[in-house]
Amino acid sequence: MTSTDNPVRLHPAVAPNQPDVTPALEALYRGFESELLVPLWTEIGDLMPAHPRSRAVPHLWKWSNLVRLAEQAGDLVPVGRGGERRAIALANPGLGGRPFATPTLWAAIQYLMPGEDAPEHRHTQHAFRFVVEGSGVWTVVGGDAIPMNRGDFLPQAGWNWHAHHNATDKPMAWIDGLDIPFQYQSEVQFFEFGRDSISDPERITPERSRSERLWGHAGLRPLSATTLTPGSPLLSYKWEFTDRALNDQLAIEAEGFGGTVEPGHAAVRYTNPHTGGDVLPTMRTEFHRVVRGAETAPVKQTGSCVYQVFDGSGTATVGDRSWTVSRGDLFVVPSWQPFSVKSQAGTTDSDSGALDLFCFSDAPIFEALQLDHMEVTR
Ligand code: 1HN
């Protein structure tokens, strides 16, 4: 074991090649301390490990527990100005109790009661919503009302005004992903309150938003759109298109023409139709379908991600942890920890037979900085 394998802070007395502790050396360290100085040689093992060592740990949150607690919050805690959202965040046990799923990513279940509004605001944090079950809420982004239904993915780049309204007589839950921990640690955030409630003309419930009618036609870019925004101009990626893309990949594979990333594993990335790049500047979002019985090759990547099981069941393995997962469950893959899944029948299965996974990561940040590294370990 070399000193760089040691994740704990090296004490000068135990670091290799250190002089004997003498009164003069002790006085030197006290001098450093009183001048707020830290010598590299006592810290190097922690500051410069041989490979990423995440403080975040692999962890699983069961959807049934999240929904049960969100329902209780629905009965007990109103939504309104100040608290802004009935959003309950995953707190990674390695990150000191903060509402951080990973060092860069926020993930939360959000819950809106029948008839409720979440007030308008905007923030520099990039965000998205993903719907694992239910319907009935419209999110209003820049005055455009967008429906939310099972399987839909709704990106919302930073600094757009947004509010939500539940137009039905049923509560609805969904997940929010944001780059809050990244912007918080980097101290680059701004926030502004908007109107306390949305206007009546916005309180509409169209089946398709204006953004979908303009941008939701594969391979067709509207010539009327001239201004570029930081994120995708398409504000909803509807389930029917994602599902069909994955089924088509698997059908092409069955015909013997490739189409999948590995046997039995279809995958798509949500992209900005204007640029072909990621939908948000700081977050990458993908959807993976692993057919029953198939297993993915273990992959290690720099940066972290969060997965949500959309359908099916199986086993997810992250580092030295392994869990049986089913619909709605969320788990975290910290930086450089090997990740694989195996699709298996659960005990109470009424699903399509494949393990369907939504995931999001901080990959665009690290690609931009040329800090993206990946290893397939099979
Ligand atoms: C926010 O604006 C939403 O708009 C969700 O639904 C979660 C977490 C922290 C700060 C703002 C939303 C949020 C949030």
Side-chain angles (χ1 to χ4, degrees), residues 83-89 106 108 110 118-119 121-123 125 127-129 139 156 162-164 174 176-178 180 191:
E84 300 298 294
R85 300 293 185 258
R86 192 184 289 111
I88 306 155
W106 161 291
Q110 185 168 162
H121 63 210
R122 64 178 176 177
H123 40 72
Q125 289 87 353
F128 69 79
R129 330 212 172 276
T139 182
Q156 178 214 296
H162 59 283
H164 318 305
W174 65 88
D176 297 306
L178 293 93
I180 292 174
F191 178 93

Side-chain angles (χ1 to χ4, degrees), residues 149-198:
N149 292 294
R150 172 163 158 82
D152 294 348
F153 165 72
L154 297 89
Q156 178 214 296
W159 216 235
N160 281 294
W161 292 111
H162 59 283
H164 318 305
H165 67 102
N166 186 337
T168 68
D169 56 7
K170 291 189 304 284
M172 183 180 170
W174 65 88
I175 65 160
D176 297 306
L178 293 93
D179 59 4
I180 292 174
F182 170 70
Q183 293 206 23
Y184 178 85
Q185 318 272 9
S186 312
E187 304 179 338
V188 295
Q189 337 80 314
F190 294 87
F191 178 93
E192 248 176 38
F193 293 122
R195 299 162 300 169
D196 286 345
S197 61
I198 53 175

Side-chain angles (χ1 to χ4, degrees), residues 255-314:
E255 293 157 15
F257 294 100
T260 52
V261 290
E262 60 187 333
H265 177 187
V268 289
R269 180 170 300 162
Y270 296 97
T271 56
N272 178 330
H274 200 265
T275 64
D278 286 298
V279 284
L280 295 164
T282 52
M283 286 186 286
R284 171 163 296 168
T285 50
E286 294 178 346
F287 201 104
H288 293 254
R289 174 165 291 166
V290 183
V291 299
R292 176 135 311 157
E295 190 170 0
T296 63
V299 178
K300 290 200 283 191
Q301 280 178 286
T302 50
S304 51
C305 39
V306 179
Y307 280 78
Q308 185 175 36
V309 177
F310 180 71
D311 200 16
S313 46

